[in-house]
Amino acid sequence: MSTPITHDVTTVPRKLDTDAKPNLIGLGRDALKAAFAEIGTPEKQLKMRVNQVWGWMYQKGVTSFSDMTNLSKDFRAVLEEHFQITRPEIITRQISADGTRKYLLRIAGGHEVEAVYIPETNRGTLCISSQIGCTLTCPFCHTGTQKLVRNLTAGEIVNQILITRDDLEEWGKPAGDKRLISNIVLMGMGEPLYNTDNVRDAMLIAMDNEGISLSRRRITLSTSGVVPEIIRAGAEIGCMLAISFHATTDEVRDVLVPINRKHKIAELLQACRDYPRLSNSERITFEYVMLKDVNDSDADARRLVKLISGIPAKINLIPFNPWPGSPYDRSDWDRIEAFAEIVNDAGYASPIRTPRGEDIMAACGQLKSATERQRKSAKKIAQETGM
Ligand code: SAH
Ligand code: SF4
C-alpha cells in the first residue's frame, strides 16, 4: 500500500467562489446569453460570444478571462469586471496504490465534497458527488451517516469534472475512449435525484458537443429509487441509469434502502421498465451490495433475477466496503461467486466490482467529508476516555 500523497494545490492563489461576482461555470448556454446581455453585449453578438467563452471554459479549461485571446481586450475587461471563472479549492488529493485519486474540495460556505477518479485499462471513470451528505440513511453507507448539509449547485457539480481535468492535464484532447476521463458516474456523495435540476443542468454541460462533450451513454446516474424523479431524469437528462437495489423483498429493502418505504420494489421496477431507450445496448445497472447473511443467499439471487425479468439489465455486485463503526460484514468471496453464478446463469452479466481506492477510503460508500470524520472520531475519543 503506498502512502497517500497530499498534493498542495492550495498554495496557488485562487479566488474563492464566495466572491460576489457570479461564477460562469455551471451556467447553461441560455443563462450565459442572458448574463452577457445584461452587461450590454449587443444582441447580434450574443451567440458568438457565448460560443467563444464556452469553448475557452470547457474545451481549453482556462480559468482567467485574460487567457481568452480571441476576445477583444475591452470585452475581456468587461467580463472580468462582472464575472469570475472559479474552481473550488483542492484541500487534499490522495492517490491510492491502485492509481485511484480522491479529491477533497472546499466549496462556498467552507463545505467539503469528494470526487474520485478511477483509472482502468480502457477507460477512466470520474465518480462525482451531487450533495454534501445525504438525507437518506441507508445503514450500510458511510455518506448516509452524515447529515445533509446542502445540495451542490450545477457549477459545483461541473467543477468536479474541470478540476480533475486540470489535475490530469487533459485539456484540449478529443472526445472518446482515449480520454483519461471517458466516463462519469453520479455515485459519490448524495442522492442525485434529490437534486435533479442542478444535476441535469450540470450533465447538459458535460454532454454539450462544443465543450466536455461526453456522450450521454458514458454518464451513469445512480439512485436509491426516487421514482418520480427517475421519470424526469429519463426525459430531461437521458443518461444511463443505475439503481441501488440491494434487496429482493420489501421487508429487507425497507431497512437497507429506507426510501423503499415510500416507493416499493414493484413501483421502482415499473419506472425501470418505462425508462426511455431501454434496450440491450442501453441496459439498466442494478447495484447490489453484498452483505454477509443479510441479502446474499441463493434464494436472494433467484428472487432477484425473477424480479427484474424482462428488463435489459446488468447486475453489479459490490462487495461491502467497511468503514469505521459499520454495522455489516462483507459476504465471503465464495458466497459472492455463487450468487454471481445464479445471476449469470439467468442470462445477466454480473460483474463483481473490485473495490478501488480502499486504502484512501475512496471506495463505494466510504465517502464522507473529512471534517465530519474528524468530528466523529473526536467524539468517539471523548466517549472512550469519559471526557
Ligand atoms: N445515493 C445514490 C448515489 C450513491 S451511489 C445511490 O444510493 O444510488 C453509491 C453506491 O455505493 C450505491 O449503490 C450505494 O448503495 C453503494 N454503497 C454505499 N455504501 C456502500 C458500502 N459501504 N459498500 C459498498 N457499496 C456501498
Ligand atoms: Fe444516500 Fe445513496 Fe448512501 Fe443511501 S446509499 S445513504 S441514498 S448516498
Side-chain angles (χ1 to χ4, degrees), residues 35-260:
F36 288 180
E38 219 167 278
I39 58 165
T41 313
E43 170 73 31
K44 61 177 188 328
Q45 289 183 11
L46 278 177
K47 197 168 172 212
M48 177 188 69
R49 292 301 189 210
V50 166
N51 284 343
Q52 287 171 323
V53 172
W54 191 275
W56 284 111
M57 292 194 304
Y58 298 121
Q59 259 171 3
K60 304 229 168 53
V62 306
T63 53
S64 151
F65 294 112
S66 57
D67 291 336
M68 301 186 175
T69 47
N70 63 349
L71 302 181
S72 72
K73 272 217 167 107
D74 287 351
F75 187 56
R76 280 186 255 164
V78 176
L79 288 175
E80 182 70 53
E81 190 188 331
H82 292 93
F83 305 116
Q84 54 176 320
I85 303 174
T86 316
R87 311 270 202 265
E89 181 191 332
I90 300 181
I91 305 167
T92 55
R93 178 193 71 166
Q94 290 173 290
I95 304 184
S96 158
D98 68 14
T100 300
R101 291 172 183 227
K102 182 167 84 170
Y103 304 93
L104 180 67
L105 310 175
R106 183 173 294 127
I107 57 171
H111 305 302
E112 293 170 359
V113 70
E114 289 174 318
V116 178
Y117 173 69
I118 307 145
E120 288 170 280
T121 324
N122 39 24
R123 65 176 175 187
T125 303
L126 180 64
C127 176
I128 60 184
S129 296
S130 55
Q131 301 183 303
I132 306 160
C134 188
T135 43
L136 297 165
T137 48
C138 310
F140 56 88
C141 172
H142 204 201
T143 309
T145 65
Q146 180 185 354
K147 275 210 190 109
L148 179 80
V149 183
R150 69 166 169 83
N151 279 339
L152 298 184
T153 63
E156 288 162 349
I157 298 171
V158 171
N159 257 333
Q160 295 172 57
I161 308 173
L162 305 189
I163 241 169
T164 313
R165 295 194 92 192
D166 292 344
D167 185 44
L168 298 171
E169 297 180 3
E170 188 168 47
W171 290 108
K173 290 199 186 145
D177 276 342
K178 298 268 168 341
R179 280 221 200 135
L180 294 172
I181 304 174
S182 61
N183 293 64
I184 289 195
V185 293
L186 281 145
M187 296 187 182
M189 295 163 68
E191 168 51 61
L193 294 188
Y194 273 173
N195 188 15
T196 315
D197 286 354
N198 291 340
V199 166
R200 174 203 55 212
D201 292 352
M203 292 306 106
L204 292 181
I205 291 172
M207 291 189 268
D208 187 288
N209 279 335
E210 307 302 317
I212 303 169
S213 66
L214 272 166
S215 147
R216 59 171 189 84
R217 294 175 56 174
R218 290 180 174 275
I219 298 176
T220 303
L221 182 153
S222 173
T223 179
S224 56
V226 191
V227 171
E229 298 294 303
I230 291 178
I231 298 163
R232 214 148 75 78
E236 297 176 23
I237 311 175
C239 58
M240 308 301 285
L241 184 67
I243 302 287
S244 290
F245 204 57
H246 306 323
T248 60
T249 62
D250 281 321
E251 201 188 350
V252 177
R253 197 165 191 273
D254 280 351
V255 175
L256 291 183
V257 191
I259 198 178
N260 196 70

Side-chain angles (χ1 to χ4, degrees), residues 269-329:
L269 291 177
Q270 190 54 48
C272 292
R273 289 178 206 279
D274 295 340
Y275 198 70
R277 289 176 294 272
L278 196 54
S279 65
N280 274 334
S281 61
E282 296 202 21
R283 291 175 291 176
I284 289 180
T285 302
F286 286 88
E287 296 159 283
Y288 199 95
V289 61
M290 299 298 292
L291 303 172
K292 189 174 187 162
D293 299 330
V294 175
N295 63 355
D296 62 352
S297 69
D298 284 355
D300 277 307
R302 286 194 212 99
R303 261 196 305 269
L304 174 62
V305 293
K306 212 166 154 198
L307 279 170
I308 63 165
S309 132
I311 303 177
K314 165 173 115 177
I315 318 294
N316 230 330
L317 298 176
I318 318 174
F320 171 64
N321 294 311
W323 35 272
S326 56
Y328 296 101
D329 294 318

